[in-house]
């Protein structure tokens, strides 16, 4: 049973466009929400993370938006580049540090 | 900083063999390490949490006698898949975190194929 629901399963975006991935959770004990990027045959790499006391966090072309009341958070990839083509996972954890991952979104950026 | 190295990257062995996978934090001390399993085109599933100097805690449904975890130092955890069978074939990934910190840093995984 997935504690974090992620959508869409896949998306295709043109170079320079915006990729948007959404996640939702139910467990109100979650207090840390990271996003990971994974290339085929590699381990996930931490992109950006947010805590529930902040509604938005931006690092370079990556922005997390967080809606605590709706228990939803999303990743926006601005000015998408072919090198951004990868699988993206949202995750959440509480104070036991165990990460619950979403199902993943495969992003394809067309040149 | 926060580099995690996993070895070997790929293992192919016969059914019934035991396989050991190493996870090392290269530039930080990892009080806690985690072991995950990932099937093709699926998400990561947590198998166990390993704290330095203590027994690992396993997630429900994970056989602790089959997946032996040792975390003997602040920079090394090992996962041994005992008497591996074809259904154990998967991508095994470790992660490590500093004490008191939330970010988990992942290794590049081990592709285990049991013939």
């Amino acid at each position: 049973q997935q504690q974090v629901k992620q959508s869409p399963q896949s998306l295709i975006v043109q170079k320079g466009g915006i990729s948007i991935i959404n996640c939702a959770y139910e467990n109100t004990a979650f207090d840390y929400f990271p996003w990971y990027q994974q290339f085929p045959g590699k381990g996930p790499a931490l992109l950006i993370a947010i805590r529930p006391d902040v509604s938005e966090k931006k690092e370079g072309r990556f922005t997390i938006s967080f809606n605590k009341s709706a228990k939803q958070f999303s990743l926006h990839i601005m000015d998408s580049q072919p090198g951004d083509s990868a699988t993206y996972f949202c995750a959440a954890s509480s104070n036991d540090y165990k990460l619950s991952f979403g199902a993943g979104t495969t992003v394809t950026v067309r040149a | 900083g926060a580099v995690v190295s996993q070895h070997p990257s790929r293992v192919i062995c016969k059914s019934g063999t035991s396989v050991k996978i190493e996870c090392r934090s290269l530039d930080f001390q990892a009080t806690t390490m985690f072991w995950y399993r990932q099937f093709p085109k699926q998400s990561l599933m947590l198998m166990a949490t390993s704290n330095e100097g203590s027994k690992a805690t396993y997630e429900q449904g994970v056989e602790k006698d089959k997946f032996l975890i040792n975390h003997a130092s602040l920079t090394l955890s090992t996962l041994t898949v005992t008497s591996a069978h074809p259904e154990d074939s998967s991508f095994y990934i470790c992660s490590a975190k500093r004490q008191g910190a939330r970010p988990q840093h992942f290794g590049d995984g081990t592709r285990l194929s049991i013939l």
Side-chain angles (χ1 to χ4, degrees), chain A residues 29-69:
Chain A
F30 286 152
D31 63 355
Y32 175 71
F33 303 88
W35 285 88
Y36 285 86
Q37 178 191 57
Q38 186 178 31
F39 293 104
K42 297 291 186 182
L46 179 63
L47 270 179
I48 185 172
I50 199 167
R51 298 279 197 139
D53 54 346
V54 176
S55 61
E56 185 174 283
K57 184 174 180 180
K58 183 176 179 178
E59 287 185 5
R61 295 185 293 109
F62 300 94
T63 300
I64 299 180
S65 297
F66 188 86
N67 185 328
K68 187 175 181 178
S69 61

Side-chain angles (χ1 to χ4, degrees), chain A residues 6-25:
Chain A
Q6 183 171 347
S7 63
Q9 186 176 9
S10 63
L11 68 91
I12 299 173
V13 63
Q14 291 295 121
K15 180 181 175 182
I18 302 173
S19 303
I20 302 174
I21 306 169
N22 300 299
C23 286
Y25 64 98

Side-chain angles (χ1 to χ4, degrees), chain B residues 44-65:
Chain B
L44 286 81
M45 297 301 296
L46 179 64
M47 298 174 65
T49 301
S50 165
N51 289 297
E52 186 266 337
S54 62
K55 287 185 179 180
T57 55
Y58 292 80
E59 295 301 298
Q60 192 172 8
V62 177
E63 299 176 59
K64 62 180 181 181
D65 293 331

Side-chain angles (χ1 to χ4, degrees), chain B residues 7-110:
Chain B
H7 178 81
S9 58
R10 186 175 182 110
V11 179
I12 302 173
C13 58
K14 293 181 180 179
S15 184
T17 307
S18 291
V19 178
K20 181 185 279 190
I21 302 169
E22 291 187 348
C23 180
R24 294 181 185 272
S25 57
L26 298 186
D27 54 0
F28 68 100
Q29 293 187 329
T31 50
T32 307
M33 290 183 170
F34 302 86
W35 288 94
Y36 296 82
R37 188 171 178 173
Q38 185 178 33
F39 289 107
K41 302 204 181 295
Q42 292 191 23
S43 188
L44 286 81
M45 297 301 296
L46 179 64
M47 298 174 65
T49 301
S50 165
N51 289 297
E52 186 266 337
S54 62
K55 287 185 179 180
T57 55
Y58 292 80
E59 295 301 298
Q60 192 172 8
V62 177
E63 299 176 59
K64 62 180 181 181
D65 293 331
K66 181 163 190 64
F67 298 100
L68 301 179
I69 291 171
N70 184 276
H71 191 164
S73 78
L74 285 171
T75 58
L76 174 65
S77 176
T78 60
L79 168 68
T80 301
V81 184
T82 61
S83 187
H85 292 284
E87 58 267 28
D88 298 322
S89 298
S90 190
F91 193 48
Y92 292 87
I93 315 174
C94 71
S95 73
K97 63 175 283 300
R98 292 180 173 91
Q99 185 175 15
R102 296 306 285 267
Q104 287 185 30
H105 305 282
F106 285 80
D108 267 343
T110 296

